Every structure is written in C-alpha cells, then in structure tokens.
C-alpha cells in the first residue's frame, strides 16, 4: 500500500518574537492530508495567522520542523518558498488585501504575474472564476467599490487562480452575516474540491466547524486536535 | 518571474501613482534637458578645435612690440617708445634668441584703390615690410620676392580680413561671402604719400604702386598690406630720405628652444619691450574652455544628483506607502528578488519617461536658441556649426545619464522593498 505524503506537517513548531523571544507558539504539531478540509480554531490573538504565515513561508519557525508540500520551510531558500506560494498555494487573507486602484479582474489576476507564463494568458480563467463566484457584473469594478462579501469572493478567485494544491484562508467569514458566511464557505470548499486541493481555514467562527472534516484548536501557544 | 510580467507590473504601478510621479518626472526631465544642452555647448567648444590649435602653435615663436598701455579693451602704443634698429639689435643680442624678423611699418599716409566684385573702392591703409623668412616655416607665400622694376609688387594680406569681411561687411551689404583664395591674384594700386587725412600733397610727393596679392597669412598685421622688406625700405628712403631710421611695428622672435623661452621673455621685457606669444593666448582660451567644460560638468552632475535625490526620496516614500502591496506580492508568490526587480523596473520606467520628456524640448530649444543667436549676433555664423547641430550621440548620452540617475536612485528603495517583512506589512495594513 503506497503511503500518501501529507500536504502539511508541523512537528514541534515554535515561534518566538521580539528581543526577549516571547513565545507565540510552542511545540505545535498537526498534519493535513491532500484534499482534506481542515479548520484551525482559537480565540483572537492565539496565533492562527502566525501559523498560516509560517505555512506560506512568509515567516520561518523558530523551533521544530515544518514541511509544506514536501518543502522544508525552515531550510528552504526565499526563491524556493516564493515558487511554492506562487505555483502550489492559494491564500485568502484575513482582510482580503485587494489592491486599491485595480479592478476585480486585475486583483484576481495578480498571482499570474509571479508565475512562469505571461499573466494575460490567465485573463479568461479569471473571468470564468469570478463569474462562477457570482461576480460577472463586477468584473471591471474597482476593488474599493465592492461590498465586503464581493471582496471576499475576489480574494477567493485570486487564491484559486493557479489551481493550488493547498489553500489557506484566514478568517474567511470575518464580519459576514450567516447566509453570506455559508455561501463563502461553500464556494471555498467547492473550489478546493474541484481542484483536489487541501483547505485550511483559520477562524474563531464556530459556524465554520460544521463544514470541515478535521479541526485543530490553537490555545495558549499549543495546537491540539479537537 | 518573467520579464514581460515584470514590466507589465512596473508600468501598472507607475500608472497607479500618477500624482507622486510628477515631481521626479519633472526633475528628471529638467536634469536630462539641461544635460543635453550643456553637453552640446561643451561639445562645440571641443569642436572649435581649441586644443588642436594649441598643439599647432609653436611655443618658441613670440611677437615683440613697443610697450603698450592696456586701457580696458584698447591697446594704445605709447609715442615715446617705438621699435627701431637699436631695439632690433638688442633683441638679437639676447642669448637664446635664434632669429628675429622685424616687421617694418611705413610712417607715411597711404591709400589703396582697388575693385572688388565690380565695385571700385578706396581706403586708407598701413604698409608693412617683412623678409621672406618672417613667415613661419612652410607658410611663406609663393612669389613673395623682390621682382624686376615695373612688375606688380607682391603683397600679402591678413587672412583675418576674409573673416571680418564675411562676418560683417558682406552680410550688411548683402554681398556674397569670399573664400580664402578669392583675393589671391587680384591687383590694386597703393598711393604712397597721400590719404584722406592728408589729401593736398604735390603730385611728385605721391607714388603709385601696382600690387598683386600673392597670398594670405595669419602672421601679418590685419590693418594693412605687407610687401617684401626691400620695397618697404625703398619707399621709406623715397619719402623720408636716407637719414631717417626705419621703424618697426613688431619683431617676431624665435627662441632657440622651448626650455629657455621664459628667460628670453624676461630679458626682452627688461628692455622695456612688450611680448606676446600666440600660444599664450591660445592657452588662455584653452584654459577658459577647460574651466567652462568643468563648470558644465559640475552643473550637469549637480542637476543629476538633485534629480536623483528627489527620485530616491519619492521612490522611498512610495515603498513605505506600498508596504501592503509589497506584502501581497510576496504572499502571492513574489520572491525578494522579484520585488527588487519590480521596483528597479519601476525606477527605470520613470527614468526613461522623465529623460525623454526632458530631451524633446531641449532639442527644440537648441535649434531655437541657435537660430535666435545667429539672427542677433552676426559673428555667431562664424562659430563652428557643431554647436547648434543636433548630435544624436549627445542625446543618447543625456538619455542614458537621466536613466542611470533614476536607476541608481532606485537601488536603495528597491532594496528596502525587497527586505520588507511581508507578514508584518500585511498585519499592519489589516488593522
Ligand atoms: N511580528 C510580531 N511581533 C510581535 N507580536 C506579534 C507578531 N506577530 C504576531 N504577534 C502577536 O502574536 C499573537 C498571535 O497573533 P496572530 O497570529 O495574529 O493571532 P490570531 O491570528 O490568532 O488572531 C498576538 O498576540 C500578536 O500580537
Ligand atoms: Mg489572525
């Protein structure tokens, strides 16, 4: 029986900040399998965003080992991590971080600029994705004129553009009302399922727990399975 | 990150920051335009051949005159001192003077009647006499010798006459310009002993002499005609008699070697004579043009540095303002070096735009300025034409300097953008 390589492995990961090395995470352990839909829950300030940043390689663990899609984040070079993010990961940020002065289409197209093909080649896919997310009338709307829910959809399209193997979403249901939150969650999960991607949601929103396959709790700097 | 995407992103970020791009664009345009205009001026100075002229002038050759008084721009000969055979002897006696050739000047009224381009004209003039070896080696006009009685007297005119005629007289009188050789072979008549100042001398006191122009020279005086010395001495005897000594307007001196020129100069000056060296004048001009070039270089550097500092601070500010954007780029797959390249390309696009923006009006300005100056100052027509000709190499150099300034100015901000902590930038932008 061939063993399946996990999409994500944290083994004793720690993260400390500042001069006096304040511990934000200690000895975090978790594993996500390919195609799995997981949640990382914990109160605000518990360290969920920090974990996602380490997984995407924007931060390096200060202890333990972290392997993402076969890449050792602690050891990999900046270029390698950039390529990992660009080709194999999609990120939905906590505050969307759509760039002002750009349209929905341009924002969702951004990851293509860091790939190895001319960004213009992805224009059709962007429009298709945005259309499927219900944004067809707002393809050329400026990001700053969109509603919260619409911005979140653009962010999801941006994350899914290059068919990533792992999608990270930070507080995807943020300030959304119940029905919008449910829609966003199903869009994310559908998107991930379609591509066979793993999905890791970081959230303090209990509404998310009903739709995921596995949950990890972040508390007091530790990560424990629910 | 492939180049095409890089450029697309750099141009996009330029378009997105139109307002903040205006100041560096303008200062770069200014700097590039100024650079081009100043380089054109410096280049034409160079093209005027000052340094070439300098190297051709012999350092050992000097011109000795009687002590003169400089009064602003006027040079007045003092009546008490003039050059005569005694001065010539003393100069020749100085150790290190290899040869001394006097330029004899006739102390008598002379008028000249000739025709030029079909018009007869008459003018007062001076008559000089020099020996054949007065002319620097190789420049002796052919035919400048004493001829048999009755033949036209060979004379030499100053080549500056042509320049003066072309730049002033011909233009104002609507006459065609003359080439250097236009005067050679022409004949005119000198009336010795009479001039417009002293018209009423008896007929036997006036001698008419037919002359033929055999050449032009830089060495002879511009104010008159120069004949072989033997004729001048004859005319002097005819007018003044045997007893009156001849007078010299100048003595050309050749020093034995360049190493003793300074001592020879001092010795000649101690005789109460004045000395000038054509090379000295050329050196002054060369020095002046060197200072001018240095000043131009300094101004160019100053403008470029100012534009560079302005651009660097604008780009730096931009990086600070775009921290979130940089964080997003990094999170979406840009490596540190991608971010650096984006901001370097951004600087290059800005530089190219600014430099082009400045170069176009500068090229226009050069043409307008050239035409205006030629209309106002007739002598400007005699300047080497290079000073107002469009020189594509200089345009390219100016463009490259503007671009390079911007690229250099972009290095520090681009480095800072690349080193920015993306997680931190995103966290700050979120709150
Ligand atoms: N770069 C940093 N410097 C100092 N403190 C930080 C830094 N990043 C995160 N923190 C702190 O670490 C804790 C966890 O933050 P975060 O990962 O954003 O939590 P969550 O996403 O669960 O709300 C918070 O107390 C936050 O203030
Ligand atoms: Mg968070």
């Amino acid at each position: 029986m061939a063993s399946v390589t996990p999409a994500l492995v944290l083994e004793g990961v720690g993260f400390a900040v500042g001069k006096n090395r304040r511990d934000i995470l200690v000895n975090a352990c978790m594993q996500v399998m390919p195609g799995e839909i997981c949640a990382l829950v914990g109160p605000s300030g518990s360290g969920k965003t920090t974990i996602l940043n380490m997984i995407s390689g924007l931060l390096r663990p200060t202890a333990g080992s972290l392997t993402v899609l076969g890449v050792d984040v602690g050891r990999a070079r900046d270029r390698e991590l950039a390529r990992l993010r660009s080709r194999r990961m999609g990120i939905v940020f906590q505050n969307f971080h759509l760039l002002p002065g750009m349209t929905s289409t341009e924002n969702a197209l951004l990851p293509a600029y860091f790939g190895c093909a001319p960004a213009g080649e992805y224009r059709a896919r962007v429009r298709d994705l945005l259309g499927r997310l219900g944004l067809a009338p707002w393809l050329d709307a400026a990001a700053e004129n969109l509603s919260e829910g619409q911005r979140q959809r653009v962010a999801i399209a941006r994350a899914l553009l290059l068919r990533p193997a792992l999608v990270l979403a930070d507080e995807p249901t943020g300030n959304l009302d119940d029905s919008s939150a449910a829609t966003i969650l199903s869009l994310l999960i559908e998107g991930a399922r379609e591509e066979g991607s793993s999905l890791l949601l970081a959230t303090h929103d209990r509404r998310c727990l009903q739709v995921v396959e596995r949950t990890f709790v972040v508390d007091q700097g530790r990560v424990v399975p629910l | 990150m492939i180049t095409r995407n890089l450029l697309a992103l750099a141009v996009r970020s330029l378009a997105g920051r139109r307002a903040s791009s205006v100041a560096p664009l303008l200062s770069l345009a200014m700097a590039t335009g100024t650079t081009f205009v100043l380089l054109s001026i410096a280049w034409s100075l160079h093209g005027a051949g000052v340094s070439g002229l300098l190297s051709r002038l012999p350092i050992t050759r000097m011109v000795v005159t009687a002590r003169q008084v400089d009064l602003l721009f006027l040079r007045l000969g003092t009546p008490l001192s003039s050059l005569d055979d005694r001065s010539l002897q003393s100069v020749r006696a100085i150790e290190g003077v290899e040869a001394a050739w006097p330029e004899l000047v006739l102390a008598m009224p002379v008028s000249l009647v000739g025709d030029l381009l079909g018009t007869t004209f008459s003018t007062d003039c001076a008559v000089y006499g020099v020996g054949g070896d007065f002319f620097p080696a190789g420049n002796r006009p052919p035919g400048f010798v004493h001829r048999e009685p009755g033949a036209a007297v060979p004379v030499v005119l100053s080549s500056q006459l042509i320049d003066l005629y072309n730049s002033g007289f011909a233009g104002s009188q609507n006459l065609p310009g003359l080439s250097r050789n236009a005067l050679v072979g022409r004949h005119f008549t000198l009336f010795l002993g009479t001039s417009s100042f002293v018209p009423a001398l008896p007929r036997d006191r006036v001698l008419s002499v037919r002359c033929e122009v055999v050449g032009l020279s830089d060495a002879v005086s511009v104010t008159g005609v120069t004949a072989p010395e033997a004729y001048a001495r004859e005319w002097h005897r005819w007018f003044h008699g045997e007893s009156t000594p001849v007078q010299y307007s100048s003595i050309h001196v050749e020093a034995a070697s360049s190493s003793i020129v300074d001592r020879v100069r001092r010795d000649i000056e101690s005789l109460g004579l004045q000395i000038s060296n054509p090379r000295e004048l050329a050196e002054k001009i060369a020095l002046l043009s060197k200072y001018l070039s240095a000043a131009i270089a300094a101004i160019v550097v100053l403008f470029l540095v100012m534009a560079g500092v302005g651009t660097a601070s604008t780009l730096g500010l931009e990086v600070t303002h775009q921290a979130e954007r940089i964080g997003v780029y990094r999170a979406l797959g840009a490596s540190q070096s991608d971010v650096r390249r984006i901001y370097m390309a951004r600087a290059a696009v800005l530089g190219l735009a600014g430099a082009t923006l400045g170069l176009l009006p500068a090229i226009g300005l050069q043409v307008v300025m050239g035409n205006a100056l030629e209309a106002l100052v007739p002598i400007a027509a005699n300047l080497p034409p290079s000073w107002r000709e469009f020189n594509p190499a200089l345009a390219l150099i100016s463009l490259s300097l503007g671009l390079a300034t911007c690229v250099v100015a972009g290095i520090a901000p681009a480095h800072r953008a690349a080193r920015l902590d993306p997680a931190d930038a995103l966290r700050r932008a979120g709150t």
Side-chain angles (χ1 to χ4, degrees):
Chain A
M1 194 181 100
S3 68
V4 184
T5 318
L8 186 62
V9 185
L10 280 79
E11 280 173 339
V13 166
F15 189 75
V17 292
K19 273 200 198 100
N20 29 10
R21 316 302 294 157
R22 184 166 66 88
D23 281 321
I24 291 169
L25 287 168
V26 277
N27 198 22
C29 297
M30 64 184 276
Q31 222 179 59
V32 174
M33 301 311 284
E36 222 179 353
I37 312 288
C38 302
L40 199 57
V41 292
S44 193
S46 57
K48 304 179 296 293
T49 300
T50 305
I51 293 177
L52 291 192
N53 281 340
M54 282 193 286
I55 293 171
S56 63
L58 295 177
L59 291 176
R60 310 234 187 190
T62 50
S65 99
L66 167 58
T67 311
V68 180
L69 302 166
V71 175
D72 183 343
V73 172
R75 300 239 175 84
R77 294 151 57 92
D78 170 68
R79 196 176 286 270
E80 212 175 326
L81 292 175
R83 194 177 309 134
L84 182 72
R85 282 195 294 276
S86 156
R87 318 270 156 91
R88 312 203 55 201
M89 257 190 238
I91 304 176
V92 180
F93 303 100
Q94 180 162 6
N95 301 90
F96 327 126
H97 291 303
L98 298 190
L99 297 182
M102 285 183 161
T103 64
S104 313
T105 307
E106 288 171 330
N107 263 291
L109 190 59
L110 267 178
Y113 284 96
F114 309 110
C116 45
E121 289 179 12
Y122 290 88
R123 207 163 275 275
R125 171 157 167 82
V126 163
R127 295 187 167 253
D128 176 54
L129 260 178
L130 288 172
R132 278 196 277 153
L133 290 168
L135 286 174
W138 291 280
L139 291 181
D140 298 315
E144 51 268 47
N145 296 338
L146 299 176
S147 74
E148 190 118 329
Q150 288 167 336
R151 276 190 240 182
Q152 186 64 298
R153 288 164 204 237
V154 175
I156 291 171
R158 185 170 67 181
L160 296 176
L161 179 70
L162 302 184
R163 306 175 196 278
L166 173 63
V167 177
L168 306 175
D170 200 352
E171 310 282 9
T173 52
N175 308 323
L176 300 179
D177 59 52
D178 283 357
S179 78
S180 311
T183 318
I184 288 295
L185 280 176
S186 65
L187 286 172
L188 256 177
I189 291 168
E190 264 168 44
R193 288 246 161 84
E194 241 163 67
E195 308 295 344
S197 328
S198 312
L199 174 64
L200 181 60
L201 309 172
T203 183
H204 65 273
D205 186 351
R206 294 261 144 202
R207 294 175 295 189
C208 295
L209 302 189
Q210 295 136 21
V211 295
V212 300
E213 294 161 358
R214 208 136 64 101
T215 302
F216 302 94
V217 178
V218 192
D219 194 25
Q220 312 273 301
R222 286 165 202 285
V223 178
V224 288
L226 188 73
Chain B
M1 189 173 188
I2 62 172
T3 311
R4 194 159 145 191
N5 290 344
L6 177 83
L7 288 178
L9 216 53
V11 171
R12 172 145 305 172
S13 78
L14 179 71
R17 312 266 319 161
R18 246 172 253 132
S20 74
S21 296
V22 170
L25 268 178
L26 286 184
S27 72
L28 270 163
M30 273 279 287
T32 310
T34 311
T35 300
F36 176 71
V37 169
L38 292 180
L39 280 184
S40 299
I41 292 173
W43 180 250
S44 68
L45 277 181
H46 177 78
V50 172
S51 47
L53 180 70
L54 185 65
S55 67
R56 283 197 305 274
L57 286 171
I59 189 174
T60 51
R61 182 131 185 157
M62 291 164 272
V63 178
V64 177
T65 53
R67 170 82 60 210
Q68 290 166 326
V69 181
D70 283 337
L71 189 73
L72 293 176
F73 300 108
L74 298 174
R75 205 155 239 212
L76 306 173
T78 52
L80 291 180
S81 64
S82 57
L83 295 170
D84 52 17
D85 279 317
R86 281 222 322 274
S87 338
L88 183 60
Q89 298 311 323
S90 336
V91 168
R92 280 189 169 142
I94 289 171
E95 196 191 328
V97 170
E98 186 155 279
W101 305 280
E103 181 188 54
L104 194 150
V105 60
L106 286 186
M108 67 180 86
V110 178
S111 63
L112 181 157
V113 178
D115 46 42
L116 194 64
L117 304 164
T119 319
T120 303
F121 71 98
S122 118
T123 175
D124 294 348
C125 77
V127 174
Y128 302 93
V130 300
D133 46 7
F134 174 85
F135 300 98
N139 289 339
R140 181 178 180 168
F144 191 74
V145 289
H146 199 272
R147 297 176 176 178
E148 71 269 20
V153 172
V155 296
V156 171
L157 299 176
S158 167
S159 39
Q160 286 179 48
L161 276 178
I162 296 272
D163 300 336
L164 287 174
Y165 171 85
N166 283 344
S167 60
F169 190 73
S172 63
Q173 303 298 308
N174 238 342
L175 292 172
L178 288 178
S179 78
R180 263 183 88 87
N181 287 327
L183 291 179
V184 174
R186 287 184 175 277
H187 288 81
F188 57 81
T189 307
L190 285 179
F191 291 94
L192 306 176
T194 182
S195 77
S196 52
F197 294 116
V198 268
L201 283 174
R203 272 230 168 269
D204 63 331
R205 295 295 288 139
V206 176
L207 182 65
S208 84
V209 180
R210 195 158 165 71
C211 302
E212 179 193 350
V213 179
V214 295
L216 296 159
S217 169
D218 290 325
V220 300
S221 291
V222 72
T223 52
V225 302
T226 302
E229 190 179 352
Y231 287 106
R233 288 190 184 277
E234 267 172 38
W235 297 332
H236 176 83
R237 274 196 300 277
W238 164 79
F239 192 82
H240 293 286
E242 293 284 347
S243 52
T244 317
V246 292
Q247 293 205 335
Y248 303 121
S249 53
S250 70
I251 302 170
H252 287 211
V253 170
E254 178 78 37
S257 78
S258 52
S259 59
I260 57 160
V261 164
D262 280 338
R263 192 188 47 70
V264 170
R265 289 174 66 100
R266 278 198 304 277
D267 287 354
I268 290 173
E269 274 163 358
S270 72
L271 292 174
L273 300 175
Q274 180 157 306
I275 200 151
S276 75
N277 182 332
R279 188 183 164 97
E280 200 169 89
L281 184 68
E283 261 167 4
K284 270 183 199 154
I285 294 170
L287 195 67
L288 197 70
S289 86
K290 225 175 254 171
Y291 281 137
L292 211 59
S293 301
I296 284 172
I299 295 170
V300 163
V301 167
L302 188 75
F303 265 79
L304 289 174
V305 164
M306 270 164 45
V309 168
T311 307
S313 77
T314 305
L315 290 174
L317 213 63
E318 201 166 294
V319 167
T320 306
H321 285 157
Q322 295 191 342
E324 179 187 10
R325 175 184 291 261
I326 294 164
V328 170
Y329 284 177
R330 292 290 305 281
L332 296 182
S335 65
Q336 288 192 328
S337 79
D338 287 339
V339 170
R340 180 177 298 119
R341 284 166 66 207
I342 290 169
Y343 279 86
M344 288 308 290
R346 161 86 175 87
V349 168
L350 188 71
L352 206 60
T356 311
L357 203 69
L359 201 54
L360 296 180
I363 291 170
L365 185 73
Q366 191 194 21
V367 174
V368 171
M369 232 168 56
N371 291 341
L373 204 66
E374 274 191 14
L376 294 174
V377 189
I379 214 156
N382 289 32
L383 288 174
S386 62
W387 83 280
R388 62 190 208 93
E389 264 168 18
F390 170 64
N391 186 331
L394 293 183
L396 205 67
I397 290 172
S398 313
L399 196 77
S400 314
L401 282 175
L403 182 61
T405 301
C406 220
V407 168
V408 169
I411 291 175
H415 187 70
R416 202 153 62 74
R419 298 296 301 268
L420 197 107
D421 177 357
D424 190 51
L426 289 172
R427 195 163 58 96
R428 282 170 200 272
T431 55

